[in-house]
């Protein structure tokens, strides 16, 4: 994708918005190579770090809304048909991935719209089951903004940090290296949060049972 390489090599607020919009649909644009390099250049004085995060988050909201509307109005059969089509495969999509995002959404409820934005393989698809479930749009947009905002802040912090220790010709390799660490940490935090709320629900349920006896 020469056009993608061109856009990634010429990051400004417009390209940040556009690329993050694509990243939140089904087009395989890695957010790590949009927000972190943009923040890297912001640390050098070429961009404003707060505007980088803002435009990245607005782009993510718009892209997620497209997926939400597709799920809301098209329904599961058409979504699956596209996922299994040649165009879907070109977007690195298949039915199994969509089903995985659905399972995550239904297992974790509407909070999945926040936490799902932080999980690789789920992040760009979690909006589809939200649409399929007819989740209220204002809730969807609020939670998506929170999740996308947190993720973009993490990536921006990485890019800002790398500016102080890494020359630009090594930036891509370092982003890939640090991104793996970030994914492991986030997955661990999500798992801990899930166990916490599960334990909280279980304790509350036990108390209610005792109160009824």
């Amino acid at each position: 994708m020469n056009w993608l390489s061109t856009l990634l090599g010429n990051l400004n607020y417009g390209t940040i918005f556009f690329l993050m919009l694509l990243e939140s649909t089904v087009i395989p644009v890695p957010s790590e190579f949009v927000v972190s390099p943009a923040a890297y250049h912001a640390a050098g004085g070429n961009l404003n770090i707060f505007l980088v995060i803002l435009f990245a988050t607005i782009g993510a909201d718009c892209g997620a809304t497209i997926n939400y509307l597709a799920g809301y109005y098209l329904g599961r059969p058409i979504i699956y048909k596209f996922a299994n089509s040649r165009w879907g495969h070109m977007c690195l999509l298949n039915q199994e991935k969509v089903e995985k995002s659905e399972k995550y959404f239904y297992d974790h409820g509407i909070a999945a719209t926040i936490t799902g934005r932080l999980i690789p393989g789920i992040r760009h698809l979690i909006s589809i089951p939200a649409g399929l479930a007819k989740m209220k749009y204002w809730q969807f947009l609020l939670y998506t903004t929170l999740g996308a905002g947190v993720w973009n802040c993490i990536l921006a912090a990485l890019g800002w940090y790398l500016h102080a220790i890494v020359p630009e010709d090594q930036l891509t390799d370092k982003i890939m290296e640090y991104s793996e660490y970030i994914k492991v940490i986030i997955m661990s935090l999500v798992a801990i949060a899930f166990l916490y709320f599960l334990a909280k629900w279980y304790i509350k349920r036990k108390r209610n049972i005792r109160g009824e006896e």
Side-chain angles (χ1 to χ4, degrees), residues 140-152:
F140 165 78
L141 186 60
L142 173 62
Y143 293 160
T144 297
T145 301
L146 290 173
V150 169
W151 177 243
N152 291 330

Side-chain angles (χ1 to χ4, degrees), residues 6-20 33-35 37-39 41-42 46-48 51-56:
T6 301
L7 289 176
L8 288 172
N10 295 276
L11 290 174
N12 54 51
Y13 302 124
T15 55
I16 291 168
F17 166 83
F18 180 64
L19 288 170
M20 291 302 291
F33 297 110
V34 178
V35 181
H41 293 302
N46 297 319
L47 294 169
N48 181 289
L51 291 180
V52 166
I53 296 171
L54 176 64
F55 278 91

Side-chain angles (χ1 to χ4, degrees), residues 23-26 31-32 64 67 92-130 140 144 151 183 186-187 190:
E23 189 267 347
S24 285
T25 57
V26 295
S31 55
E32 295 90 336
N67 278 3
L92 305 181
L93 192 63
N94 56 49
Q95 184 172 327
E96 182 181 354
K97 290 182 178 179
V98 178
E99 290 176 341
K100 182 180 178 182
S101 68
E102 283 192 83
K103 184 178 186 305
Y104 184 86
F105 181 85
Y106 290 115
D107 285 349
H108 297 80
I110 58 177
T113 315
I114 299 177
T115 59
R117 297 292 310 183
L118 306 175
I119 300 176
I122 297 291
R123 182 167 58 247
H124 65 296
L125 296 178
I126 195 64
S127 307
I128 294 176
F140 165 78
T144 297
W151 177 243
K183 289 174 185 176
I186 287 175
M187 293 291 285
V190 169

Side-chain angles (χ1 to χ4, degrees), residues 18-87:
F18 180 64
L19 288 170
M20 291 302 291
L21 182 152
L22 295 181
E23 189 267 347
S24 285
T25 57
V26 295
I27 298 175
V29 177
S31 55
E32 295 90 336
F33 297 110
V34 178
V35 181
S36 292
Y40 184 94
H41 293 302
N46 297 319
L47 294 169
N48 181 289
I49 188 66
F50 298 107
L51 291 180
V52 166
I53 296 171
L54 176 64
F55 278 91
T57 303
I58 293 173
D61 282 344
C62 291
T65 295
I66 293 173
N67 278 3
Y68 169 87
L69 293 175
Y72 196 100
Y73 290 108
L74 298 181
R76 189 173 286 103
I78 295 178
I79 295 293
Y80 283 1
K81 185 175 181 180
F82 174 77
N84 292 322
S85 70
R86 182 167 65 90
W87 289 102

